Amino acid sequence: AQTVTQSQPEMSVQEAETVTLSCTYDTSESDYYLFWYKQPPSRQMILVIRQEAYKQQNATENRFSVNFQKAAKSFSLKISDSQLGDAAMYFCAYRSQYLSRGSQGNLIFGKGTKLSVKP
Amino acid sequence: NAGVTQTPKFRVLKTGQSMTLLCAQDMNHEYMYWYRQDPGMGLRLIHYSVGEGTTAKGEVPDGYNVSRLKKQNFLLGLESAAPSQTSVYFCASSYGQQETQYFGPGTRLLVL
């Protein structure tokens, strides 16, 4: 079974600085997707960024980028020029590509990292 | 386009009571999911559906039932609520199994 580990329960960053959130995962599959979701105090789960495992190029979305290391099974999120609105819980998630291989198509989440942004 | 909506937003139940949580999506998505989120546990899959009229069990299905009578709606039922079901419940939907899942705002349930 796949697992996702976020080893940093809490992180803090100064406004306008850069922070990196760590995520590692365990899988025997070669094809899968990885995600970072943001959950602000409103509890709404918001997709931040998505990475297909077959793509070597790291995904980027404006100030958010990932460092995807497939061999190391590592998927970290870098937030540049941090803003007060970035304060939230961040969840790393994994999903198999193929439903037929016993996957339910669901996301497997890590336990989250709480990010605080200091003004 | 409202996306994924959930009702109610918050509910308090007594042990043994029943209730139904409603999830609705207007994106014509085939796949729908119910997750629960507990402190320090991340989100875990309860049940899911790959199309109208189909449902299947997820990781933590005990104590819950679901129905998908209409493509746009996915109902989660608690027949006899227990304090262990106190949680925040999220519905999600996606166009296909490989597509991004979009989440509703969540329902906070407290079982006394």
Side-chain angles (χ1 to χ4, degrees):
Chain A
Q2 296 84 17
T3 59
V4 176
T5 302
Q6 294 178 249
S7 59
Q8 306 153 315
E10 296 187 24
M11 291 282 286
S12 180
V13 64
Q14 204 70 36
E15 195 175 6
E17 297 290 305
T18 295
V19 64
T20 298
L21 307 184
S22 301
C23 173
T24 59
Y25 57 94
D26 187 28
T27 184
S28 59
E29 299 174 333
S30 58
D31 298 319
Y32 49 87
Y33 301 90
L34 295 166
F35 304 83
W36 278 99
Y37 278 88
K38 171 185 178 181
Q39 187 179 42
S42 67
R43 289 204 310 267
Q44 179 77 48
M45 294 289 285
I46 303 166
L47 177 67
V48 175
I49 203 163
R50 161 186 165 136
Q51 175 81 43
E52 289 86 350
Y54 66 86
K55 290 186 177 179
Q56 293 184 348
Q57 186 173 9
N58 290 324
T60 62
E61 285 290 340
N62 301 315
R63 298 182 294 106
F64 298 88
S65 61
V66 298
N67 183 3
F68 173 48
Q69 301 289 327
K70 191 173 184 179
K73 297 179 183 176
S74 171
F75 184 60
S76 61
L77 175 70
K78 185 172 81 171
I79 306 174
S80 303
D81 186 25
S82 297
Q83 301 175 359
L84 295 177
D86 295 333
M89 283 289 289
Y90 286 82
F91 291 95
C92 178
Y94 170 104
R95 192 177 82 215
S96 298
Q97 183 171 358
Y98 301 109
L99 192 63
S100 60
R101 291 183 183 177
S103 162
Q104 298 156 337
N106 60 298
L107 294 162
I108 298 170
F109 286 86
K111 293 184 177 182
T113 296
K114 184 178 181 181
L115 178 66
S116 302
V117 181
K118 297 178 180 178
Chain B
N1 190 339
V4 181
T5 58
Q6 293 182 232
T7 53
K9 288 184 172 56
F10 175 66
R11 183 77 182 268
V12 179
L13 288 180
K14 294 181 180 179
T15 297
Q17 287 184 319
S18 64
M19 78 164 294
T20 301
L21 282 66
L22 171 64
C23 175
Q25 51 93 5
D26 61 1
M27 297 176 282
N28 200 34
H29 285 173
E30 291 291 338
Y31 286 66
M32 296 188 76
Y33 305 84
W34 275 108
Y35 294 88
R36 61 178 287 174
Q37 183 180 28
D38 301 300
M41 294 290 290
L43 279 75
R44 292 179 293 167
L45 183 69
I46 305 171
H47 285 280
Y48 67 104
S49 168
V50 301
E52 181 179 326
T54 73
T55 63
K57 293 180 179 180
E59 182 185 353
V60 288
D62 293 342
Y64 305 95
N65 57 76
V66 289
S67 64
R68 183 101 182 266
L69 298 179
K70 294 182 178 180
K71 186 177 183 179
Q72 63 268 33
N73 295 336
F74 194 30
L75 279 64
L76 177 71
L78 286 74
E79 290 186 349
S80 179
S84 61
Q85 294 177 303
T86 293
S87 188
V88 179
Y89 292 86
F90 286 95
C91 177
S93 71
S94 64
Y95 187 71
Q97 193 268 332
Q98 298 183 13
E99 302 300 317
T100 297
Q101 292 183 22
Y102 294 91
F103 284 81
T107 294
R108 182 167 169 243
L109 177 65
L110 176 61
V111 183
L112 302 176

